[in-house]
Amino acid sequence: MTHTVPLPTASGLAALEARLRQDLDVLELPAKPWVPQRQHNGVAARDVVVIGAGMCGLAAVAKLQLTGIDNVVAYDAAPAGMEGPWLTFARMETLRSPKTLAGPALGLPALTFRAWFTAQWGDEAWLALDKIPKNLWMDYLIWYRKVLNLPVHNNVRLTAIEQAGSLIALDIDGAETGRLFTRHLVLATGRSGLGGMAIPDFLQGVNHRWWAHSADEIDFAALRGKRLAVIGAGASAMDNAATALEAGAGAVDMLIRRKTMPRINKMTGISSPGVIHGMHLLPDAWKWKFVDYSAATQTPPPRSSTLRVSRHPNARFFLDCGIVAVKEQADGLLIETTQGKMHYDFLIAATGFTNDFNGRPEFTAIAPHIRSWSDGRYHAEMGPPRQTMLAAPDLGPAFEFRERVPGNCPMLAHIHCFNDAAMLTHGKVSGDIPAISTGAERLVLGITASLFAEDVDRHFNNLTAYDNPELQGDEWTDSTPLLKQENTL
Ligand SMILES: Cc1cc2nc3c(=O)[nH]c(=O)nc-3n(C[C@H](O)[C@H](O)[C@H](O)COP(=O)(O)OP(=O)(O)OC[C@H]3O[C@@H](n4cnc5c(N)ncnc54)[C@H](O)[C@@H]3O)c2cc1C
């Protein structure tokens, strides 16, 4: 079975949900709520607000709840069931990842994609399944949220962040609008969530009617019969080109700057618990070396996505084809490349995302204060000064931001960057499927320790005030002291 699945059985899913409830019960999870309530001017504050309810946000909220931190909420700008890229700009047919990954299951077998799938379609269908169709992955995430009863509110966008005493004030807009307060803020805002789409210089000023970024909404039907240029050689470049070809594009040219296609998925090749748990504890020079090497060697597009393009006779691959300039003309675009001039009706830039926080209005208050690797963490002897890596935030052990100038923005210590931008500091544990549970555990461990330490006086008072006796006093009788006994002998 590849991209279609037969009708599921509801009874199988009900049994799985019962098994999950039992597993949680046996493990005494969720833990009892233990965090004292805080208020701001008489208004109850949240312990943690999570922005984004894609895979990372859901895993973070789930882990917080299991840890007894239940005064938590997640907000997502997208409608329910539409979070993340899966039903919007993810234009591949299946995930790249192997179907067997435990993903956001947080160590609970009944919470895995595999358990969810086999409960409904059986073991035979599991064996027949090749890769996970992307819609099915979204269905699984919807179930994950439902079965754990996670507190997620949709159609709500974070618009501003402000320090409010020891708390953080958040302005939110949409289905719920207003100001709320929280002790910790988790930004699970995805690949584009801290910056935005990376737009190359040669497209600056070019009218948007002629081009789109690969993560834009694109009217592929309008490309029927048209000449299309796709810039890039990554997975998104292939998926967008294939979608256009399948929608009847007249001709699609892949314009690829590199001389050869990257062919080896290096980091996947060395994946291990060592990499997942050890990378963030390595000296900075080693972290730099790993990420720099991965950036230089690049991740190849999946074979299936590449074949989905090349099987069309009207698709062409131009390697070693850098873009010199893009000029608007009356009937389309003139693209000057290192291989000559070409005419197109439309261009799709599959050029990825940036971590430039300055481009996002909701981060205006924090952006200038966020310490990045360029602020002293990078040293020339680590390797070449790659711009995207220099801009990466310099994070603490719980993904918390650090201040560029100590004292200028103290709330950063309580704002956690739980998304792709954390990779240089933490390894790949807050963006992709394979190690997301480890990322959520690391994040929640840090938040737990911080919430406990901040309330340590109250916890100590609880210790001294606790007076529930285990012994009733009638379990023994005091014997006459030995000395007295000797004297009477
Ligand atoms: C096309 C594509 C294919 C991928 N395929 C794979 C794969 O096969 N295997 C793999 O391991 N990884 C894959 N990834 C990488 C990764 O798994 C996904 O990017 C995944 O969606 C990451 O989850 P996330 O929660 O970090 O971000 P997202 O799923 O993007 O969720 C972020 C959420 O934050 C919300 N948000 C952002 N800003 C705000 C705001 N201000 N207010 C409120 N809400 C906000 C957004 O609406 C969004 O729903 C893929 C990524 C892409 C883009």
Side-chain angles (χ1 to χ4, degrees), residues 51-58 75-78 82-86 89-92 94-97 101 137 156-159 188-193 236 239 353 360 362-363 418-420 430-434:
I51 301 299
M55 180 184 63
C56 288
L58 293 180
Y75 292 112
D76 200 298
M82 295 295 290
E83 302 86 355
W86 313 110
F89 66 88
R91 299 190 170 109
M92 70 283 194
T94 67
L95 299 195
R96 177 200 286 263
S97 302
L101 292 177
W137 180 251
V156 181
R157 177 172 284 283
L158 168 74
T159 55
T189 41
R191 291 212 165 183
S192 60
S236 290
D239 296 331
F353 300 100
R360 297 278 292 232
E362 63 265 51
F363 302 133
F418 193 51
N419 54 53
D420 207 54
S430 55
D432 294 347
I433 297 166

Side-chain angles (χ1 to χ4, degrees), residues 12-317:
L13 199 56
L16 177 68
E17 292 175 0
R19 190 178 120 200
L20 178 63
R21 276 195 299 277
Q22 195 188 13
D23 289 348
L24 289 171
D25 190 39
V26 168
L27 292 165
E28 287 199 279
L29 292 173
K32 282 199 201 83
W34 56 272
V35 186
Q37 255 260 339
R38 285 272 179 107
Q39 297 209 326
H40 182 82
N41 296 337
V43 180
R46 292 281 185 188
D47 293 327
V48 186
V49 170
V50 178
I51 301 299
M55 180 184 63
C56 288
L58 293 180
V61 175
K63 188 65 192 172
L64 285 161
Q65 298 236 103
L66 293 177
T67 312
I69 303 171
D70 70 339
N71 179 19
V72 171
V73 66
Y75 292 112
D76 200 298
M82 295 295 290
E83 302 86 355
W86 313 110
L87 300 189
T88 52
F89 66 88
R91 299 190 170 109
M92 70 283 194
E93 294 171 325
T94 67
L95 299 195
R96 177 200 286 263
S97 302
K99 63 183 178 181
T100 44
L101 292 177
L106 300 171
L108 295 163
L111 204 51
T112 55
F113 176 85
R114 180 173 180 169
W116 174 81
F117 183 94
T118 50
Q120 296 174 91
W121 292 285
D123 290 333
E124 236 174 84
W126 173 254
L127 286 176
L129 182 74
D130 177 22
K131 294 278 177 77
I132 303 173
K134 66 182 179 113
N135 294 26
L136 208 58
W137 180 251
M138 186 73 235
D139 288 346
Y140 161 70
L141 291 178
I142 292 169
W143 172 77
Y144 180 99
R145 164 180 171 176
K146 185 175 138 267
V147 75
L148 292 174
N149 198 17
L150 300 180
V152 178
H153 298 218
N154 288 91
N155 302 302
V156 181
R157 177 172 284 283
L158 168 74
T159 55
I161 304 173
E162 200 185 312
Q163 184 95 46
S166 64
L167 299 173
I168 303 166
L170 304 176
D171 288 336
I172 54 165
D173 195 17
E176 284 171 33
T177 296
R179 171 158 278 216
L180 55 106
F181 300 91
T182 185
R183 296 177 67 177
H184 286 259
L185 172 65
V186 174
L187 299 178
T189 41
R191 291 212 165 183
S192 60
L194 279 193
M197 303 169 193
I199 309 296
D201 286 347
F202 53 73
L203 282 174
Q204 303 297 340
V206 178
N207 191 316
H208 234 307
R209 64 188 280 240
W210 302 118
W211 67 276
H213 186 275
S214 55
D216 280 326
E217 204 178 309
I218 298 174
D219 180 2
F220 283 94
L223 297 178
R224 170 169 283 279
K226 299 276 167 65
R227 297 162 302 173
L228 173 69
V230 176
I231 297 186
S236 290
M238 297 304 155
D239 296 331
N240 276 271
T243 308
L245 287 158
E246 288 159 8
V252 175
D253 286 351
M254 310 296 301
L255 306 185
I256 302 166
R257 187 177 43 191
R258 298 176 70 88
K259 285 192 171 60
T260 54
M261 288 283 274
R263 289 172 57 183
I264 301 166
N265 199 338
K266 293 277 189 175
M267 281 307 281
T268 300
I270 64 156
S271 172
S272 75
V275 172
I276 293 169
H277 299 294
M279 190 68 83
H280 74 124
L281 298 173
L282 286 177
D284 286 347
W286 271 113
K287 292 183 185 181
W288 190 273
K289 207 167 168 169
F290 273 104
V291 177
D292 179 56
Y293 183 79
S294 310
T297 48
Q298 294 199 320
T299 307
R303 178 174 158 78
S304 57
S305 300
T306 312
L307 290 172
R308 200 178 148 207
V309 176
S310 61
R311 69 170 170 246
H312 294 269
N314 51 341
R316 299 188 298 180
F317 289 70

Side-chain angles (χ1 to χ4, degrees), residues 473-480:
D474 58 0
E475 295 85 355
W476 77 98
T477 49
D478 284 2
S479 299
T480 317

